[in-house]
Amino acid sequence: MPANDGERKQPKKRALPFSSLWPVAAGALLGIALRLVYSGAPDGPYAAMSSGFIYLAPIVVGAVTAFVAERQARRSLAYHIAASSLANILFVVGTMAILIEGLICAVVILPLFIVFGVIGAGLMFLVCRLTNWPKPTIGCVVLLPLLLGDADSGVILPDSMGEVERRIVVAAPPAVVWQELLNTSDIRPEEIERAWVFRIGAPLPLEGQILADAAQPTRRVRMAKNVYFDEIIAEQRANEWIRWSYRFYPDSFPPYAFDEHVVLGGRYFDIRDTSYELTAVAEGTLLRVTLSYRISTRFNWYAAPVARWLLGNLADSNLA
């Protein structure tokens, strides 16, 4: 017998196209909005390098992604990990697309944002499954970075000092290596392609030449995008040892050349000095380079190891 109206099955609701991606879009768009809010001066409230943004923005992105997803349907933990990671990737890419962040900063900060985003998503996942107040919770989470934007403005940034040392044996006598150190011209991209700092957006070096008319021994470095600065030679012993510090000028780094957060000699990062030691060996010259650097951020525990790896990779590339 045919079923009556009350027994007929109701038609199954069909999900709208791409509905599973809506949580990702919601999280990414909120992250971009927070970055627009955090556009203050470096030493003032709502600065992009403040704790309120670096630590809380990716957590908010992950939490909002998980909240919107759970409102649609129960999702697996694996979904929340993948969705929050994708949301933070799109968040960072979005800040680049609207030209408020550069490639170097994006690449450096992205792993940290992904990890914090997964933490935010995991916490919201637990709130949605174990409590009856996900809405009040997500409201408080979103408000946190807005309320704490001035939390550490005016607080002196901590400095983390470090050194990177690398060495290589060059099949040439010290006198030849010495001249190459002092005057290096026509640097080709393929000669420094091993250095990740150039792969992720730093201007390529073009040459380094001793200035004949300088008041003190000075080597001028020129890079692509009209970048230039001087290396002031503090001490040297011909064919054996040389050490220089750095002098930057108001026009050393045009606005389009470097991300403001990683500019040399800036508020957050600096290479303090570089030294080369040359020792004659049977194979030619043992060349050792030492780079001394400074990192000053609210997250030195993360930024210092990243800088150390990048500078070590740069030193290896320069020696090679």
Side-chain angles (χ1 to χ4, degrees):
M1 295 178 63
N4 58 38
D5 292 343
E7 293 174 336
R8 289 176 183 164
K9 292 183 178 180
Q10 296 295 321
K12 187 178 181 179
K13 291 183 179 179
R14 298 181 63 186
L16 293 174
F18 308 110
S19 60
S20 62
L21 296 179
W22 290 5
V24 174
L29 289 173
L30 184 57
I32 294 171
L34 284 174
R35 179 61 180 88
L36 291 172
V37 171
Y38 275 82
S39 299
D43 56 350
Y46 295 96
M49 293 287 279
S50 67
S51 300
F53 182 75
I54 294 296
Y55 292 110
L56 294 179
I59 290 177
V60 169
V61 170
V64 167
T65 302
F67 173 78
V68 175
E70 287 290 310
R71 295 287 290 176
Q72 289 181 339
R74 286 202 166 199
R75 314 276 188 171
S76 67
L77 184 58
Y79 168 89
H80 287 299
I81 292 174
S84 63
S85 300
L86 179 57
N88 269 288
I89 291 171
L90 294 178
F91 157 36
V92 173
V93 171
T95 61
M96 294 172 58
I98 60 176
L99 304 179
I100 58 175
E101 208 63 79
L103 179 60
I104 298 178
C105 280
V107 171
V108 169
I109 206 65
L110 187 57
L112 181 66
F113 273 24
I114 289 175
V115 171
F116 275 67
V118 170
I119 292 173
L123 293 174
M124 182 51 60
F125 171 78
L126 293 176
V127 170
C128 290
R129 295 297 177 89
L130 303 179
T131 75
N132 295 320
W133 24 269
K135 284 185 178 180
T137 300
I138 197 63
C140 292
V141 170
V142 172
L143 281 175
L144 270 178
L146 300 178
L147 295 175
L148 298 178
D150 196 21
D152 51 19
S153 66
V155 180
I156 297 176
L157 289 169
D159 291 334
S160 176
M161 307 296 185
E163 277 189 357
V164 168
E165 181 182 309
R166 294 291 189 273
R167 61 183 64 194
I168 193 173
V169 174
V170 184
V176 173
V177 177
W178 179 261
Q179 290 303 317
E180 288 294 328
L181 285 176
L182 295 183
N183 293 287
T184 308
S185 59
D186 299 325
I187 301 174
R188 300 187 305 275
E190 60 268 23
E191 292 180 305
I192 42 114
E193 62 183 5
R194 290 178 54 189
W196 274 98
V197 291
F198 304 125
R199 293 185 185 185
I200 63 176
L204 296 174
L206 302 176
E207 65 174 11
Q209 300 287 337
I210 294 293
L211 297 180
D213 56 351
Q216 60 187 118
T218 301
R219 183 175 184 267
R220 173 153 294 182
V221 174
R222 298 189 184 277
M223 306 175 74
K225 299 183 180 180
N226 297 315
V227 171
Y228 80 97
F229 54 86
D230 288 342
E231 296 169 338
I232 309 302
I233 299 173
E235 53 183 316
Q236 60 178 318
R237 296 190 303 273
N239 305 328
E240 294 181 3
W241 164 267
I242 189 168
R243 181 177 67 85
W244 56 60
S245 58
Y246 295 85
R247 178 179 295 164
F248 306 109
Y249 304 95
D251 60 343
S252 283
F253 304 103
Y256 53 83
F258 266 97
D259 295 355
E260 62 174 323
H261 304 130
V262 294
V263 66
L264 293 173
R267 179 179 176 85
Y268 306 108
F269 173 63
D270 191 20
I271 298 181
R272 301 165 65 202
D273 59 47
T274 299
S275 65
Y276 286 92
E277 181 181 359
L278 295 77
T279 304
V281 294
E283 300 88 346
T285 302
L286 174 62
L287 179 62
R288 185 181 70 179
V289 59
T290 303
L291 286 80
S292 174
Y293 63 91
R294 168 186 60 82
I295 299 293
S296 305
T297 71
R298 305 289 179 201
F299 50 103
N300 282 349
W301 59 271
Y302 172 80
V306 172
R308 182 175 182 82
W309 180 81
L310 286 173
L311 289 174
N313 174 253
L314 175 64
D316 285 333
S317 176
N318 287 344
L319 290 179

